Amino acid sequence: MVRTLLLVAMAAGAAGEGTAGLLSRSEANGLAQLLNTSAAFIVAKMAPDQPPIQADRSIFEYGNLARVLLAGHRITGNPEWLKVGLDWCDGFVAAQLPVTTPGNGKGGYWDTGYREIFIADTGTAVVTLTVCIAMQSDSTKVEGYKAALERYALFVTKGCLTPPTNPNVTGIVGPAGCPAADGEGWVIQSGADKGALGDGWYKRELNSGAYTISTATSGSCGFVQMDVLGLKPLAPSTAVLSTVAADAIDWLLNSRTPDGRIPYIIHPADTTSVVFQPITYSAESFITCGLHYPAMKQKLSTLKSTVEWLVANQNPDGSWGKWSNLTVGEDQGVRFSPSGDAQRSPRALSLIQWYLATYGPDPSIEESIHKFVAFLLDDAKAKAFGVNTNSTAGVLVTGFVGLAVADLIQPWVTF
């Protein structure tokens, strides 16, 4: 299996596809082994004897794991990885909950796995479901996947008549109820935040103010992926997903700080220092828009400042974010505790990889990629980071790293 991964990676490099040609043979070999090990870890985590969807399991974390397996199958043809990934999508669709929207539409939403309804977290899982559609051979299941996505798009763009009361999520919504009765859902239609999305319900209250992560995951990445498949929200919604996605991208680009950072905007404001998380989630939006909407290439070129900021703020060891309790010793290896923000940073690699492939060579970007690869291939540092470990953040980190590694081996295989 490792040999198969290596051959695919090296073939892509020889063909000059994307940025895979940057990888040395040792880097390609190391990444192939890492992806193979991650896949084995993921299969074990998603085995039939493990808790099912919605049983205290994050749909965004496990959705990412399934997506890593699906990408790995595309690279290697491994049938087990395909089966486990598709099984997750089957369970995800079955777990969708019904909601009535303005105009008596039949929408759908998901409990995120921890008794919350977050459009941000759901968007990540929705992207995995769009990948499953392209890989599922059972036409009946494909139609079920599509229907679930269109119900979700209706919910996001039209809202609800009354707050959900399904037993899985009873009590999480506050007295504010649903978005305004005009049926615009969580998509902000006017004003300074036009194009941004709210996030469902947050801290037991309706959350219809702009949120960076939901705008990135559902509003742009998720809706672009759905639009490419020819999907649209069910009636009575008249939203055009390509327009919603383009407006979401505009908002993300326009919200950036002068030095290129993407701020963590949420209502009510969160005082937590979050720097790399919004970049990671937005990276997927920018990449899928760049891949599918060529007309946006000029607009997306302004991400140069964001890429330059990432390169300038990369840690000396190649990682991004803050660590605590860092110790290094011959008898204990490398140990540290990555912050939650750092744990969500790996897609920074994918953003700079995509920018390099799209807008031309840049030695500083190339060096930044090599530095992060070296970090991942240092077994002690990768383990301390949480890759393929049963630590608290092991599932979260393994998913983000797996996606970044798969796309480095075979560009954009995760979309």
Side-chain angles (χ1 to χ4, degrees):
M1 182 58 60
V2 171
R3 177 174 173 78
T4 303
L5 281 164
L6 173 59
L7 290 175
V8 172
M10 296 308 295
E17 180 182 327
T19 53
L22 287 173
L23 299 176
S24 68
R25 181 170 291 274
S26 62
E27 287 174 325
N29 187 40
L31 291 174
Q33 294 184 51
L34 177 58
L35 183 58
N36 193 60
T37 303
S38 294
F41 170 84
I42 293 169
V43 167
K45 282 290 183 183
M46 302 180 77
D49 61 340
Q50 297 299 309
I53 296 290
Q54 305 293 49
D56 299 320
R57 292 180 68 175
S58 162
I59 60 173
F60 100 80
E61 291 183 358
Y62 279 81
N64 275 347
L65 294 188
R67 193 169 155 204
V68 172
L69 292 180
L70 295 169
H73 169 77
R74 283 175 164 171
I75 295 171
T76 69
N78 186 303
E80 181 183 29
W81 298 356
L82 175 64
K83 181 182 184 306
V84 176
L86 292 177
D87 284 349
W88 183 88
C89 284
D90 291 343
F92 180 58
V93 169
Q96 190 179 51
L97 300 167
V99 63
T100 302
T101 71
N104 292 316
K106 304 302 180 184
Y109 69 95
W110 281 273
D111 173 357
T112 53
Y114 27 86
R115 296 179 58 78
E116 301 280 6
I117 304 173
F118 293 154
I119 290 173
D121 295 30
T122 304
T124 298
V126 159
V127 172
T128 300
L129 187 55
T130 65
V131 175
C132 280
I133 287 176
M135 303 179 72
Q136 175 60 261
S137 60
D138 185 325
S139 60
T140 300
K141 288 186 176 182
V142 168
E143 292 308 308
Y145 295 176
K146 290 180 177 180
L149 289 172
E150 292 185 328
R151 288 191 293 268
Y152 175 69
L154 169 61
F155 169 66
V156 172
T157 58
K158 287 292 281 186
C160 53
L161 283 178
T162 58
T165 57
N166 186 283
N168 286 340
V169 292
T170 295
I172 70 165
V173 295
C178 291
D182 55 15
E184 294 178 351
W186 281 270
V187 181
I188 299 175
Q189 301 288 338
S190 61
D193 288 325
K194 180 180 184 295
L197 268 64
D199 194 32
W201 290 268
Y202 178 62
K203 295 185 177 180
R204 296 182 177 272
E205 296 290 341
L206 176 69
N207 187 260
S208 55
Y211 182 37
T212 304
I213 312 303
S214 57
T215 304
T217 60
S218 281
S220 47
C221 189
F223 281 177
V224 170
Q225 292 285 112
M226 290 173 61
D227 178 51
V228 170
L229 292 168
L231 304 180
K232 59 184 179 181
L234 293 179
S237 176
T238 58
V240 178
L241 294 186
S242 59
T243 301
V244 176
D247 288 347
I249 287 292
D250 283 344
W251 183 84
L252 290 170
L253 290 173
N254 294 334
S255 72
R256 289 177 302 158
T257 58
D259 61 0
R261 288 181 297 112
I262 300 172
Y264 185 70
I265 297 173
I266 188 171
H267 300 279
D270 190 330
T271 58
T272 305
S273 177
V274 177
V275 178
F276 295 98
Q277 180 180 164
I279 292 177
T280 271
Y281 289 112
S282 297
E284 293 208 330
S285 300
F286 300 141
I287 292 168
T288 194
C289 278
L291 294 174
H292 298 297
Y293 296 164
M296 298 192 73
K297 182 176 181 180
Q298 180 63 36
K299 185 176 293 184
L300 293 172
S301 69
T302 63
L303 287 166
K304 180 179 181 180
S305 61
T306 305
V307 170
E308 290 176 341
W309 186 89
L310 284 171
V311 171
N313 288 274
Q314 191 173 21
N315 295 327
D317 67 359
S319 62
W320 282 281
K322 296 180 179 180
W323 317 114
S324 60
N325 305 318
L326 176 63
T327 58
V328 181
E330 292 183 1
D331 60 336
Q332 63 189 69
V334 179
R335 295 180 182 176
F336 54 78
S337 299
S339 67
D341 191 40
Q343 292 164 356
R344 292 165 172 79
S345 67
R347 275 305 211 181
L349 170 70
S350 301
L351 180 61
I352 63 176
Q353 174 193 350
W354 168 81
Y355 189 88
L356 181 67
T358 304
Y359 298 102
D362 183 313
S364 65
I365 298 177
E366 294 177 12
E367 179 59 25
S368 179
I369 292 173
H370 289 302
K371 286 173 64 177
F372 190 62
V373 169
F375 171 79
L376 293 178
L377 297 185
D378 184 313
D379 289 341
K381 290 180 179 177
K383 182 177 180 180
F385 191 29
V387 180
N388 302 331
T389 69
N390 290 314
S391 63
T392 302
V395 168
L396 172 73
V397 173
T398 301
F400 281 122
V401 169
L403 292 172
V405 167
D407 278 333
L408 195 56
I409 291 174
Q410 185 171 320
W412 325 133
V413 71
T414 68
F415 292 92

